[in-house]
Amino acid sequence: MSVEELILQTRAYMSLSCPELGDCAGLIEECMESAQQAFTDEFICQMDHRVWAKITLNYHQQFLQTGCDISVGQMLAESIRDSIRTNRIDFLTQELAQQNLYQQLQRPPLAKVETPCLHIVPDDME
C-alpha cells in the first residue's frame, strides 16, 4: 500500500466515524506531511488507517488546545518512551512475536525439501 492509498482510507474512515468534522482531507494531509518529515513511507504504511485517524485527531486537537505545534515524530517518540517506562513495550513485542509465529505456522510450506539421511558408521566396521 502507498501513502496515497493510506490517506484515502484514513479520509474515508474519518468521514464515517467522525462526520461532524466534515471534509478532513486537509487535516490528514498536514498530519501525513509531518509524519513524512520524521519517518519513511514504508514505516508510515505499517500502521493502518484507524491508527492514522487517531493520530490525526490527536495532532490537531493538541494544537487547537495549546496553540503549540508538536510534530508527529515527537508524538510517536514520546509514545514509545512511555511504553518503555510502563514496560508495555515488552508485552507488545511479545504479542507481535506470537502473531508472527502464528502466521508462519499457518502458511503452507514453500516446497518440500528432502533432507539427506546420514548414518554414522563406527570405525571398527572396516
Side-chain angles (χ1 to χ4, degrees), residues 4-19 22-25 28 49-50 53:
E4 291 77 23
E5 291 171 318
L6 181 60
I7 289 171
L8 289 174
Q9 288 181 358
T10 304
R11 186 176 175 187
Y13 179 78
M14 287 181 70
S15 294
L16 292 173
S17 62
C18 307
D23 186 19
C24 46
I28 297 167
H49 59 276
R50 292 176 298 247

Side-chain angles (χ1 to χ4, degrees), residues 4-5 11 22 28 37 41 47 52-54 67 75 83 85 95 107 117:
E4 291 77 23
E5 291 171 318
R11 186 176 175 187
I28 297 167
Q37 291 175 4
D41 289 353
M47 293 181 263
W52 282 110
K54 183 68 173 171
M75 288 173 56
S83 70
R85 279 193 303 272
E95 185 178 345
R107 281 189 223 132
C117 185

